[in-house]
Amino acid sequence: MRHVLLASCIALSLAACGPRGGEATSPQAGAPAAGPAAPASLDDVELLSREDLFGNPERANVRISPDGRYLSWIAPVAGVLNVWIAPADDLNGARPVTRDDARGIRGYFWSHRPGVLLYLRDTGGDENFHLHSVDLGSGESRDLTPYDNTTARVAAVSHRHPDTILVAMNDRDPQWHDLYRVDLASGERTLVEENTQQIAGYMADADYTLRYASRARPDGGSDILRREGDAWAVHDSIPFEDAMSTAPGGLTEDGGTLYMVDSRERDTAALYAIDTASGTRTLLHEDARADVGGSLSDPRTGEVQAVSVNYLREEWTALDEGLAADLERLDAIGPGEVGVTSRTLDDRTWVVVYSAAEAPARYYRYDRDGGALTELFSERPALDGKPLVPMWPVEIQSRDGLTLVSYLTLPAHADTDGDGRADTPVPMVLLVHGGPWARDAYGYSSYDQWLANRGYAVLSVNFRGSTGFGKDFTNAGDGEWAGKMHDDLIDAVNWAVEQDVTTPDKVAIMGGSYGGYATLVGLTFTPDTFACGVDIVGPSNLNTLLETVPPYWASFFEQLTRRMGDPRTEEGRAWLTERSPLTHADAITRPLLIGQGANDPRVRQAESDQIVEAMQEKNIPVTYVLFPDEGHGFARPENNKAFNAVAEGFLATCLGGRAQPIGADFTGSSIEVPAGAGIVEGLSEALDAHTPEARH
C-alpha cells in the first residue's frame, strides 16, 4: 500500500518579511564522505554535462518478477526507454521486450501470469494512458485498452487470479471509469460494473470481489461506499477539510482489514487498521510532525508491515517485528535513503534502491534468508565520482509563524567546509514544486545538481498548501494562490538573503506546473523581487485553466473550485481573474523564459500562448520554447536537454553563472521557438544549425 492523493493532479512525476529561522540539519543529513580538497572557485569544479544529468538513465525502475525468475528494468533501445528483462541468475542474458520508438516507457509492472508484464503508454504526452501486456514467451504485445481517448487505471492485480486483472476505463463516458475484468491471454474484457454513480475509484479483495468505493460530494468532501449485495451504501464520510489527507489505503487479501490514512479529528494523517466485520479501528502509526506516507505490505496477505513518515527526511518504522532486522540491514547501505521496489510472492527476495542527494539511484538484490545484498546497477554511472553536492533540510519561519520545511543545495565552491552554510553569497534559483498539492523532499535531483554545478544555490520551499505536513498546513493554502502561498516564497528568499546564501539582486524563480504559475506570479505580483524567471507549463489564466481541465477530473473539480475559486460564479471568476498573472502581464519588467508542451491536457498550450501574446503586444521581451510532441513536462530526453540548454544560457545571462554551450543538445529534439530566440545568446544560431525552418 502507498497512499496517493488524487489532489496532486496539477503537479509536474518536476517565492514583507517577518521573523526568520532555520538551521541546517546535522551533517549526516546530506554531507558527503571525506574526499578531495574543496574547490576554491567555481572554475575549479568540473562542469557536468547535460547528457549525464538529463539524458536517458543507463538502467532504472529495476524490479523482480513475483515468481523470482526474472529481473526487469527500463533502459534505452536506440535512444528510447524500453522494458528489458533478464533471468534473475543471468544478467548477461538481458534483452528488450518492448520496442517503443517515441516517448519511451517509464511505468510498468509484473502480472501474476507467468512471463507476462504490463506497461502504460500515452501518445505525445496526451495522458490517454493505454495498458499494454507483453508475453515473454511468444514476444506478443497487446493493447488491452484499444479505445480512442481512453485513460486506463489498473484497479487490482491478484495472485489468486493470475490470468486476469481489473482495469477501469472511460471509453463510454470520458468523465467516469467503468470497471472491467480483462483476460491477459486474449485481451477480452468483461464488464464488472458500469459506473453510473460517479464513483472515483474502486477497491476489491484478492478474489476481485468489490468491497469499497469512493465518491466525491458537491461540498468538496467525499463518501466511502461499501458494497452491500448488488448496491452501494454510504459507509463513511470525509469532510472537505480532510479530503487531501484522508483516504482508504488498501485491503488485506481476505478483505478482513481496511487500512485508512486518516486526519479526521487530528492534524497529521495517521495509519489505522479497521476490522471490516466489527468496525473496530486500531491506530498503527502516527507522527505529530508529518503525515504517514509510504508503506510496505506482505506480498501475499496484504498486511502492512512497515510505514514511513517524511518530515525533513523519510523515516521508516517496522510494524511487523519480522521486518525490523531487514530494515536495519538496508539502513546500513549508507546515510541516504532506501526503498523497496518489488518483492517476490514468497517474500524471500527483494529489489532495493538506494540514493542520496549526492548519489543517484543504485539498485541491489536483497536475499532475506542470508541477509546478502548484491549490487546490481547504478542508474547513472556516468555521475559516479563526479562533484555532486549535498542537500540540506532547513526550517524557515513564515511571517505569520508557519514552519516551512525547505531544502538548500549549495555550489561546492560556496560551502568549502561542508557545513550547509554559505561561505559567501552566490546567485540563487528558487525552485518551486508543482501541484501545488505535493511537496519537495530530500534526495537526488538532476535539477538541483545541474544548477549548483553552474554556480547557483538552489532553494526549494514547502509553502502552505503543500501536502504531507498535516491538513492545517495544506488547508492554509486555500484561497491563497498569488496570496500567502506566494508570501511564503518571498519569506524564504528573504531568509536566504539574511543567511548570506545570496543577494537580493541575484535571485531567479523557476518551476513547473504550479511552479510555473508561481514564476509568473513572481514576475507580475512582485516584479522587483526576482532577476528573471523560468516558467515550465505554468497556467497564466486561472479561469481558462479550470475551464479546460480533463473530463476525468470530474471527481476532483469541486475540490479545485473550493481551494482556488469557482469560475461558475461571478465572484469566483473575478477572484480568479485578479489572481491570474495574465491580468498583470504589463507589470513584467524582468526576463522571462517559457517552456510548453503542445499536447498538455492539464495546462493547455493556450496558457502560454496568451501571456506571450500579451507581452508582445506591450513590447515586453519574452522567450517562448514549444515542443509539439510533449505534454505536461518534457519526457523525451532530447527535449529535456534542449530546453535546459536554453534555460542554462538564459540563467547565465541573467544571474552570471556558467553555461555549457548548446552544442549538439538540440539533436533529435522537436524544439521550436515561436518568440524571443534572439534574447538568449547562441539560441538563434543553434536553431538554424538544428533546423533552418525553426520559427524564431
Side-chain angles (χ1 to χ4, degrees):
M1 177 199 75
R2 177 172 288 273
H3 180 50
V4 179
L5 293 173
L6 292 175
S8 27
C9 61
I10 306 182
L12 183 65
S13 203
L14 271 226
C17 321
R20 297 290 174 266
E23 296 291 325
T25 60
S26 57
Q28 68 262 27
S41 70
L42 183 59
D43 292 338
D44 294 326
V45 179
E46 177 185 354
L47 187 75
L48 302 177
S49 74
R50 287 186 294 270
E51 172 62 31
D52 290 346
L53 289 163
F54 300 109
N56 280 320
E58 185 169 292
R59 294 180 183 89
N61 197 2
V62 182
R63 308 181 71 85
I64 193 165
S65 61
D67 59 12
R69 293 178 58 196
Y70 298 101
L71 282 170
S72 56
W73 57 85
I74 298 291
V77 175
V80 179
L81 291 178
N82 277 275
V83 183
W84 291 62
I85 64 100
D89 57 357
D90 180 19
L91 297 185
N92 292 325
R95 59 185 173 91
V97 294
T98 63
R99 294 287 177 178
D100 190 272
D101 60 1
R103 283 165 57 83
I105 297 167
R106 288 160 181 81
Y108 80 98
F109 58 98
W110 286 93
S111 76
H112 288 282
R113 180 177 170 86
V116 175
L117 58 78
L118 306 167
Y119 68 90
L120 292 161
R121 181 188 183 280
D122 72 346
T123 301
D126 63 4
E127 298 190 14
N128 287 323
F129 285 98
H130 284 219
L131 180 67
H132 299 255
S133 67
V134 179
D135 187 293
L136 304 187
S138 66
E140 181 183 10
S141 180
R142 183 193 304 274
D143 185 351
L144 299 174
T145 55
Y147 311 102
D148 293 338
N149 301 316
T150 298
T151 298
R153 296 174 179 169
V154 178
V157 178
S158 172
H159 68 89
R160 288 191 184 180
H161 300 276
D163 295 327
T164 59
I165 59 174
L166 295 186
V167 184
M169 309 179 207
N170 64 335
D171 55 303
R172 181 187 60 85
D173 182 339
Q175 293 189 95
W176 306 105
H177 285 66
D178 300 325
L179 189 64
Y180 293 88
R181 189 162 178 163
V182 177
D183 186 277
L184 294 177
S186 67
E188 293 182 5
R189 68 176 185 174
T190 302
L191 182 66
V192 175
E193 177 156 298
E194 185 172 295
N195 187 354
T196 59
Q197 298 191 47
Q198 300 184 347
I199 287 174
Y202 294 94
M203 295 183 68
D205 62 22
D207 282 323
Y208 294 153
T209 300
L210 291 181
R211 296 295 193 106
Y212 296 94
S214 61
R215 181 173 61 197
R217 296 199 309 261
D219 65 357
S222 64
D223 289 328
I224 298 174
L225 310 179
R226 181 167 178 158
R227 192 71 165 193
E228 296 183 358
D230 294 329
W232 292 104
V234 175
H235 171 71
D236 203 355
S237 293
I238 301 171
F240 166 76
E241 58 267 21
D242 292 283
M244 291 239 181
S245 48
T246 300
L251 276 169
T252 51
E253 181 184 79
D254 60 6
T257 301
L258 171 67
Y259 293 106
M260 282 289 297
V261 178
D262 202 333
S263 65
R264 289 173 294 181
E265 299 182 5
R266 52 185 300 125
D267 180 25
T268 58
L271 179 64
Y272 294 85
I274 303 173
D275 185 291
T276 58
S278 67
T280 302
R281 290 166 56 95
T282 302
L283 175 65
L284 298 183
H285 194 69
E286 63 180 340
D287 193 304
R289 303 168 303 163
D291 298 336
V292 163
S295 64
L296 292 173
S297 300
D298 185 291
R300 189 173 289 276
T301 69
E303 293 180 7
V304 174
Q305 299 170 304
V307 64
S308 72
V309 168
N310 192 338
Y311 182 61
L312 299 178
R313 293 277 302 270
E314 188 172 47
E315 303 169 12
W316 283 90
T317 300
L319 304 180
D320 180 343
E321 285 303 314
L323 246 68
D326 299 298
L327 296 182
E328 282 188 23
R329 291 190 189 106
L330 300 185
D331 280 343
I333 295 176
E337 296 185 345
V338 176
V340 178
T341 71
S342 54
R343 302 158 74 172
T344 54
L345 189 60
D346 64 12
D347 209 21
R348 305 324 309 161
T349 308
W350 297 359
V351 169
V352 172
V353 59
Y354 169 83
S355 68
E358 63 275 23
R362 193 173 296 271
Y363 295 90
Y364 296 81
R365 174 179 174 143
Y366 173 56
D367 294 298
R368 293 187 71 200
D369 290 335
L373 272 165
T374 304
E375 185 172 330
L376 297 172
F377 313 117
S378 171
E379 192 164 291
R380 294 187 178 273
L383 292 176
D384 291 349
K386 297 296 184 181
L388 304 181
V389 293
M391 174 184 283
W392 301 93
V394 295
E395 296 172 289
I396 298 171
Q397 297 301 308
S398 73
R399 66 189 70 182
D400 57 354
L402 294 184
T403 298
L404 312 175
V405 172
S406 304
Y407 298 89
L408 177 65
T409 303
L410 293 168
H413 74 288
D415 184 18
T416 56
D417 57 1
D419 66 352
R421 296 172 177 81
D423 302 334
T424 185
V426 293
M428 188 180 85
V429 176
L430 181 70
L431 193 60
V432 186
H433 71 68
W437 304 291
R439 62 158 293 172
D440 278 313
Y442 168 86
Y444 173 77
S445 163
S446 56
Y447 273 82
D448 291 69
Q449 295 296 336
W450 166 56
L451 293 168
N453 185 258
R454 279 15 179 198
Y456 311 120
V458 186
L459 183 62
S460 299
V461 182
N462 285 305
F463 46 87
R464 73 192 69 204
S466 302
T467 52
F469 302 98
K471 68 184 181 188
D472 291 346
F473 190 81
T474 299
N475 296 339
D478 293 354
E480 295 297 344
W481 286 49
K484 292 180 180 179
M485 294 165 75
H486 187 63
D487 290 344
D488 291 345
L489 298 178
I490 299 299
D491 291 348
V493 169
N494 290 331
W495 171 88
V497 171
E498 291 179 3
Q499 297 291 318
D500 291 326
V501 172
T502 190
T503 56
D505 61 331
K506 288 292 185 180
V507 180
I509 183 170
M510 177 177 182
S513 195
Y514 178 86
Y517 167 81
T519 296
L520 297 177
V521 168
L523 268 60
T524 52
F525 284 74
T526 53
D528 299 326
T529 298
F530 299 100
C532 56
V534 180
D535 154 33
I536 304 170
V537 297
S540 64
N541 182 333
L542 298 185
N543 279 298
T544 54
L545 172 72
L546 291 175
E547 289 166 358
T548 58
V549 297
Y552 47 85
W553 283 15
S555 64
F556 183 59
F557 190 73
E558 298 302 331
Q559 277 272 326
L560 288 174
T561 59
R562 284 199 59 175
R563 295 186 186 276
M564 294 174 60
D566 194 337
R568 298 166 297 190
T569 68
E570 183 176 349
E571 180 183 11
R573 288 189 64 83
W575 188 93
L576 291 165
T577 299
E578 195 277 327
R579 299 299 174 98
S580 294
L582 181 64
T583 304
H584 311 281
D586 57 356
I588 298 176
T589 59
R590 303 294 169 82
L592 174 62
L593 169 64
I594 295 176
Q596 178 69 45
N599 302 322
D600 191 339
R602 309 185 192 191
V603 178
R604 304 295 177 98
Q605 180 182 333
E607 293 298 320
S608 292
D609 287 351
Q610 56 193 346
I611 196 164
V612 169
E613 292 168 4
M615 293 175 67
Q616 289 178 319
E617 287 176 2
K618 299 179 183 301
N619 296 315
I620 303 171
V622 60
T623 301
Y624 182 22
V625 178
L626 180 68
F627 296 96
D629 57 350
E630 292 286 5
H632 198 59
F634 313 138
R636 293 185 59 229
E638 295 88 349
N639 291 335
N640 204 17
K641 287 187 295 180
F643 181 79
N644 291 338
V646 177
E648 189 168 317
F650 175 83
L651 289 170
T653 301
C654 169
L655 296 181
R658 60 181 179 173
Q660 176 189 355
I662 292 174
D665 275 5
F666 286 178
T667 302
S669 172
S670 65
I671 186 171
E672 298 177 2
V673 185
I679 296 173
V680 179
E681 184 176 354
L683 177 53
S684 293
E685 294 78 5
L687 284 169
D688 287 336
H690 171 59
T691 167
E693 65 271 18
R695 291 182 291 124
H696 62 275

